[in-house]
Amino acid sequence: MGADYATVTQAHRRLYPSVAPAALHRAVAEHAGLGTALLGETSGVARRILAAALAESLLLLGRIEFFDLRQPAAADSTFVRAFQAACEADDNLLGAAILAHSAFVPGWDGRLDGARERMHAARTYARRAPASAEVLAWLDAVEAECLTRCGDHRGALALLRHAEDILATGSDAASPSWFTWFSPVRLHAFRGNTELVAGLIPQARTTLEQTLADLPDTDGKQRSVVLADLAAVEAAAGQPELACALLEQALDQLAVTWYASGMERVREARRALNPWQDSAAVRRVDDRLYSWSATLSSLQR
């Protein structure tokens, strides 16, 4: 029973990059409900296998709610359920991943103390695992993004440099199969955004252009984020035509693979173009951004 349940969890993980978030959310939510019901019917090794798969399923559900659908309150509640399942499985590494994801909720809301407390807990669980270099670097990247959102750009950049050092050094521990959301390229995306927010425009352009070149074709969601950040870089550099061209590429990508976090970055970059809002290029972006279908999709999600 535990192994069969885990097989479906793994399939959902593989479907995440390409399936519409709302559709996958329904499937994963039903699967998590089934896992919760089955947990009461198992014991011993089978219960631990099932609990670990349930924790992963709930973690995916929370990721969809937070990043794809922008429902932070729902995600926060789902992360609590995920942590409870990780506790049943006695899986420290899953616990660390869930806690770090939960830190995004207060971090993106500007509540730095809450984010730091959750990150401290995540690092404590990771030390018990042990964790791979990739996991440890990702923990630094998560905390760096929270610091960026809360205005501590210097602290964020220091953490990102530390993450790069960890990846360069490596470790004997291997990353688990479910750890699919981070890589050196993703780390560069974190750094590029922090450099942009910190006003380090030439550095941000270099970092983000390299990130875009290195991103795999299958990573459409991250591509929309990086394109929007690059557009914001060009807007800050006084290049509205280039910024608009990049925003149109980001909107093309979002039409293929919806990602609420990507759309948020697009809107942030568009606000940076307000000084040129009467230009033909910006109006073309607005026509795309506020088309009937795009506006309806945003309202529905």
Side-chain angles (χ1 to χ4, degrees):
M1 185 186 293
D4 287 344
Y5 183 86
T7 298
V8 179
T9 296
Q10 292 158 14
H12 286 159
R13 179 207 310 157
R14 292 191 295 270
L15 288 170
Y16 173 69
S18 55
V19 174
L24 186 59
H25 181 271
R26 289 192 293 271
V28 177
E30 289 290 338
H31 185 58
L34 174 62
T36 302
L38 292 177
L39 200 61
E41 302 177 15
T42 57
S43 61
V45 174
R47 183 179 178 85
R48 289 198 296 275
I49 293 172
L50 180 62
L54 174 59
E56 183 189 339
S57 188
L58 286 164
L59 174 56
L60 175 59
L61 188 66
R63 283 172 55 79
I64 294 170
E65 289 168 345
F66 188 80
F67 295 111
D68 296 85
L69 303 179
R70 294 306 295 126
Q71 298 171 356
D76 207 24
S77 177
T78 299
F79 290 141
V80 172
R81 294 169 58 203
F83 188 77
Q84 290 171 331
C87 178
E88 291 284 350
D90 194 24
D91 191 320
N92 286 303
L93 206 53
L94 260 174
I98 294 161
L99 286 165
H101 273 92
S102 75
F104 280 125
V105 178
W108 283 31
D109 194 38
R111 293 179 283 124
L112 184 55
D113 287 344
R116 277 180 163 155
E117 184 175 353
R118 294 184 181 193
M119 286 307 306
H120 179 71
R123 292 181 188 281
T124 300
Y125 277 85
R127 283 198 299 270
R128 298 170 182 161
S132 67
E134 290 78 12
V135 171
L136 294 175
W138 172 70
L139 292 176
D140 278 347
V142 172
E143 188 167 356
E145 179 153 341
C146 293
L147 290 177
T148 299
R149 295 268 177 165
C150 295
D152 186 359
H153 308 140
R154 180 177 296 181
L157 289 169
L159 276 170
L160 292 170
R161 286 192 294 270
H162 185 253
E164 291 172 348
D165 292 341
I166 290 174
L167 288 180
T169 302
S171 69
D172 295 331
S175 297
S177 58
W178 46 258
F179 186 72
T180 58
W181 55 77
F182 184 74
S183 65
V185 177
R186 291 293 189 96
L187 178 58
H188 290 156
F190 276 102
R191 190 179 74 183
N193 178 256
T194 297
E195 289 169 341
L196 165 63
V197 175
L200 305 174
I201 301 306
Q203 296 93 318
R205 180 187 288 111
T206 299
T207 301
L208 291 167
E209 286 178 344
Q210 187 61 54
T211 302
L212 191 62
D214 293 341
L215 271 176
D217 293 338
T218 55
D219 204 347
K221 293 180 179 181
Q222 189 64 35
R223 185 172 298 276
S224 67
V225 170
V226 175
L227 284 166
D229 279 353
L230 265 174
V233 165
E234 298 305 337
Q239 301 290 334
E241 295 277 347
L242 184 51
C244 288
L246 289 162
L247 281 183
E248 291 206 58
Q249 291 181 51
L251 289 168
D252 288 341
Q253 182 62 63
L254 288 168
V256 175
T257 309
W258 174 260
Y259 192 43
S261 295
M263 181 56 82
E264 280 190 1
R265 296 289 180 89
V266 167
R267 295 188 186 282
E268 288 172 9
R270 168 58 185 87
R271 286 193 288 272
L273 287 167
N274 281 342
W276 302 278
Q277 63 185 7
D278 293 328
S279 70
V282 175
R283 285 180 174 176
R284 281 196 306 271
V285 170
D286 285 348
D287 284 340
R288 292 280 307 277
L289 193 56
Y290 300 110
S291 67
W292 283 106
S293 59
T295 303
L296 182 60
S297 293
S298 295
L299 291 172
Q300 289 174 331
R301 293 180 172 94

